[in-house]
DNA sequence: TGCCAGGCTTCAC
DNA sequence: GTGAAGCATGGC
């Protein structure tokens, strides 16, 4: 157990911000004390399992050791970044955005695994978030490495090597729909070296976007999601149906992201989370 | 029941 | 290069 104070972090908001799909409140028996039941989230990432309880606005208890926190989760939650700087950069005359930031004050851009984000956001297209979660969970339970959690077992995200071994027919049994061929091709390209994830993670933002757009099944929206949520290119501004709705309803069809150059993706997350609340 | 979902590829033109 | 059709499936 490790206790720490963290600013600008709200776990409920992160869960519903649409950037992560294996970050869920109280889904299984807890490691953390029962007294935190109403405030405990369970996270599976990087083949690790974490429970994190928000016991106050800025006070958190994590199920990991301090060492694991420092080596994995501190980065995962992007805790070296001061989000108050982004908030201070908001146009105060922009009522929608001001309300959005006030509503989603505890959102951070998680630094998630590139392979997992590629698969997750390819699957995300034309699915709602509960359906994405169910689909990914099905893949994890079938093909992920087991992780022992007390008496319980959870499953890591399946590797490219594991998915590579599957036939299209096997993939089809997990509600991938027409995306099965995208995932199949992606696993093949990664395992055979046609797509190098290490190199991809080292590219400049604009080059990474180009490389992502060359991947079968990835268009501009998914490329921006992967850039933002895995590569931490926080200028990336994914436009999905919700963001487009905001742009049409609140900004007369045009939102100038250059106003927020360098952190437009953070702004996008506040907008997305707020718009989905009503 | 019908519409919609963190869109993309393909194919006319 | 632009625009429209077609797409699998589950949630609401």
């Amino acid at each position: 157990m490790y206790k720490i104070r963290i600013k600008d972090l709200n776990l409920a908001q992160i869960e519903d911000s649409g950037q992560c799909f294996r970050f869920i409140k109280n889904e299984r028996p807890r490691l953390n004390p029962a007294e935190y039941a109403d405030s405990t989230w369970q996270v599976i990432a990087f083949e690790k399992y974490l429970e994190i309880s928000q016991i106050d606005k800025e006070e958190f208890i994590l199920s990991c050791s301090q060492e694991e926190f420092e080596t994995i989760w501190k980065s995962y939650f992007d805790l070296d970044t001061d989000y108050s700087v982004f908030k201070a950069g908001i146009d105060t005359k922009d009522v929608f955005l001001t309300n959005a930031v006030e509503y989603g004050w505890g959102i951070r851009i998680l630094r998630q695994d590139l392979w997992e984000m590629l698969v997750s956001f390819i699957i995300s297209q034309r699915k709602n978030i509960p359906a994405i979660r169910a689909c990914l969970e099905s893949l994890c339970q079938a093909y992920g490495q087991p992780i022992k959690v007390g008496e319980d077992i959870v499953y890591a995200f399946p590797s490219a090597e594991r998915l590579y071994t599957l036939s299209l027919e096997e993939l089809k049994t997990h509600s991938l729909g027409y995306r099965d061929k995208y995932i199949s091709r992606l696993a093949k390209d990664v395992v055979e070296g046609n797509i190098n994830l290490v190199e991809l993670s080292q590219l400049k933002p604009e080059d990474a976007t180009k490389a992502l757009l060359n991947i079968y099944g990835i268009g501009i929206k998914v490329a921006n999601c992967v850039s933002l949520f895995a590569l931490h290119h926080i200028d990336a501004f994914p436009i999905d149906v919700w963001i487009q709705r905001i742009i049409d309803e609140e900004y007369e069809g045009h939102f100038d992201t250059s106003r927020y150059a360098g952190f437009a993706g953070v702004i996008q997350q506040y907008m997305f989370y707020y718009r989905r609340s009503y």
Side-chain angles (χ1 to χ4, degrees):
Chain A
M1 304 281 282
Y2 180 60
K3 193 170 178 178
I4 186 172
R5 295 188 70 82
I6 301 170
K7 288 186 177 178
D8 300 312
L9 175 62
N10 183 285
L11 303 176
Q13 293 171 8
I14 299 269
E15 177 184 6
D16 286 334
S17 67
Q19 60 177 305
C20 49
F21 305 106
R22 308 197 73 208
F23 187 117
I24 299 177
K25 186 175 180 179
N26 270 336
E27 230 200 5
R28 50 181 63 88
R30 286 175 308 281
L31 295 174
N32 280 4
E35 63 190 280
Y36 303 136
D38 290 337
S39 63
T40 298
W41 276 259
Q42 299 167 316
V43 186
I44 306 168
F46 298 107
E47 302 194 335
K48 297 281 185 184
Y49 173 82
L50 175 75
E51 283 182 10
I52 175 167
S53 305
Q54 182 151 22
I55 58 178
D56 199 348
K57 185 172 181 182
E58 295 187 359
E59 196 166 6
F60 297 83
I61 289 184
L62 290 78
S63 62
C64 63
S65 66
Q66 179 173 0
E67 182 188 358
E68 185 176 304
F69 169 77
E70 296 288 347
T71 55
I72 297 176
W73 304 110
K74 187 176 180 183
S75 163
Y76 176 81
F77 285 103
D78 194 29
L79 298 184
D80 286 327
T81 302
D82 182 359
Y83 279 69
S84 68
V85 175
F86 303 139
K87 297 178 189 179
I90 300 292
D91 180 356
T92 54
K93 295 189 294 296
D94 187 329
V95 175
F96 176 82
L97 205 41
T98 302
N99 289 339
V101 171
E102 186 179 358
Y103 185 76
W105 59 269
I107 290 175
R108 288 172 168 268
I109 309 296
L110 302 177
R111 293 176 184 260
Q112 301 183 80
D113 178 69
L114 177 55
W115 164 251
E116 180 172 340
M117 291 302 99
L118 283 167
V119 174
S120 298
F121 281 96
I122 286 175
I123 286 173
S124 77
Q125 59 185 267
R126 285 178 66 82
K127 273 183 182 287
N128 55 36
I129 289 175
I132 299 165
R133 284 212 173 100
C135 182
L136 292 174
E137 201 53 39
S138 177
L139 286 174
C140 290
Q141 295 208 3
Y143 312 118
Q145 283 291 328
I147 303 170
K148 193 161 165 48
V149 179
E151 299 301 309
D152 204 10
I153 299 281
V154 300
Y155 295 90
F157 198 83
S159 66
E161 288 73 15
R162 183 69 182 93
L163 295 191
Y164 179 60
T165 65
L166 304 175
S167 67
L168 216 48
E169 285 64 35
E170 286 175 287
L171 280 173
K172 276 185 194 303
T173 63
H174 301 281
S175 303
L176 295 182
Y178 64 90
R179 309 158 194 82
D180 53 3
K181 55 189 180 293
Y182 303 153
I183 300 303
S184 180
R185 172 92 68 93
L186 178 68
K188 176 177 161 63
D189 283 340
V190 168
V191 171
E192 295 182 353
N194 299 317
I195 296 173
N196 185 318
L197 299 184
V198 175
E199 286 179 6
L200 181 55
S201 67
Q202 293 167 344
L203 293 176
K204 290 184 296 185
E206 55 270 32
D207 293 334
T209 302
K210 283 180 192 165
L212 288 166
L213 288 173
N214 279 330
I215 296 174
Y216 184 48
I218 294 188
I220 188 63
K221 191 273 174 182
V222 171
N224 278 320
C225 282
V226 173
S227 292
L228 182 57
F229 303 133
L231 301 176
H232 208 74
H233 297 158
I234 60 169
D235 198 39
F237 191 87
I239 299 177
D240 68 337
V241 292
W242 291 95
I243 295 295
Q244 189 59 54
R245 202 168 283 160
I246 294 167
I247 292 172
D248 292 340
E249 291 172 356
E250 308 290 339
Y251 298 96
E252 298 178 342
H254 182 72
F255 181 77
D256 184 13
T257 58
S258 68
R259 168 70 178 75
Y260 300 105
F263 63 105
V266 181
I267 301 303
Q268 190 270 8
Q269 278 300 100
Y270 294 131
M271 297 167 81
F272 178 82
Y273 176 71
Y274 180 50
R275 180 59 184 80
R276 281 169 42 87
S277 72
Y278 59 85

